[in-house]
């Protein structure tokens, strides 16, 4: 039964999915570790590393579904390695500096005195951060931009995951998940949330 499941997954990845070779190989490694490695701290870290390398959608899907996976799989020892690796997932992504950085900064060039374009402060699952200074008072600010082609990457995984759910008849509703992902891509919505957070908690110390 286990071998049949593995063969179905590999066949799907090789012949039915739209993923590139890099992500297919990473996914095969992930499934191999889940099914054949023992649940040890070393293997939990290894599995978390491979899952994290798959990018935003897989990381956030695992984080989003962690509670539900735990309820469904907690009594199945075969998946204990997977469940114990999920809290170890990393949001930081090794993405290169955006080649469109100057384009993104162009609308704000009259407000900025200087931007350190050569060094990213941080790179997370959706975007990357740079340090800059305002012309008005030289105040230090942090500038957040999206990773290049992040929308296309999410669309690719969306297509793949919907195929996966359909083919294997999984009872997972991905609509809310991708709705939340799209909200995180909307920086205008993020600004509204930050302003609301500031209004409510600005007097807290």
């Amino acid at each position: 039964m286990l071998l049949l499941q593995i063969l179905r997954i590999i066949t799907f990845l090789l012949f039915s999915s739209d993923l590139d070779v890099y992500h297919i190989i990473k996914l095969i490694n992930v499934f191999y570790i889940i099914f054949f490695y023992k649940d040890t701290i070393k293997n939990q870290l290894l599995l978390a590393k491979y899952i994290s390398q798959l990018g935003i959608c897989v990381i956030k899907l695992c984080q989003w579904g962690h509670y539900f996976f735990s309820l469904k799989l907690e009594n199945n020892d075969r998946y204990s390695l997977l469940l114990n690796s999920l809290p170890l997932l990393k949001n930081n992504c090794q993405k290169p500096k955006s080649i469109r950085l100057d384009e993104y900064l162009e609308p704000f060039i009259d407000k900025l005195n200087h931007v350190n374009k050569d060094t990213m402060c941080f790179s997370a699952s959706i975007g990357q951060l740079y340090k800059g200074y305002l012309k008005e008072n030289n105040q230090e600010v942090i500038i957040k931009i999206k990773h290049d082609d992040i929308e296309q990457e999410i669309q690719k995984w969306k297509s793949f995951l919907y195929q996966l759910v359909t083919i294997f008849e999984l009872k997972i509703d991905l609509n809310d998940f991708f709705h939340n992902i799209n909200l995180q891509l909307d920086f205008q919505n993020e600004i509204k949330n930050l302003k609301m957070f500031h209004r409510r908690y600005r007097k807290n110390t």
Side-chain angles (χ1 to χ4, degrees), residues 94-145:
Q94 302 302 314
K95 295 279 190 180
K97 184 178 74 171
S98 172
I99 61 174
R100 301 171 62 189
L101 180 57
D102 288 331
E103 176 188 337
Y104 291 137
L105 292 175
E106 181 64 30
F108 310 101
I109 201 67
D110 61 328
K111 298 181 182 298
L112 295 170
N113 186 29
H114 171 71
V115 177
N116 188 350
K117 301 178 185 178
D118 297 325
T119 307
M120 271 190 287
C121 298
F122 190 74
S123 176
S125 53
I126 288 176
Q128 45 195 249
L129 304 180
Y130 295 86
K131 186 184 295 184
Y133 299 87
L134 296 177
K135 279 185 177 179
E136 182 182 7
N137 52 15
N138 208 38
Q139 180 182 347
E140 183 179 279
V141 294
I142 295 297
I143 302 159
K144 180 177 180 180
I145 67 169

Side-chain angles (χ1 to χ4, degrees), residues 1-6 9 30-39 47 73-84:
M1 185 66 179
L2 175 59
L3 182 60
L4 181 60
Q5 280 183 309
I6 295 171
I9 291 171
V30 165
F31 286 120
Y32 185 83
I33 293 170
I34 290 172
F35 288 125
F36 294 109
Y37 280 40
K38 292 182 179 179
D39 184 11
L47 181 56
L73 304 174
E74 63 180 348
N75 295 320
N76 191 328
D77 292 338
R78 181 188 298 166
Y79 298 104
S80 63
L81 173 56
L82 171 63
L83 294 178
N84 291 329

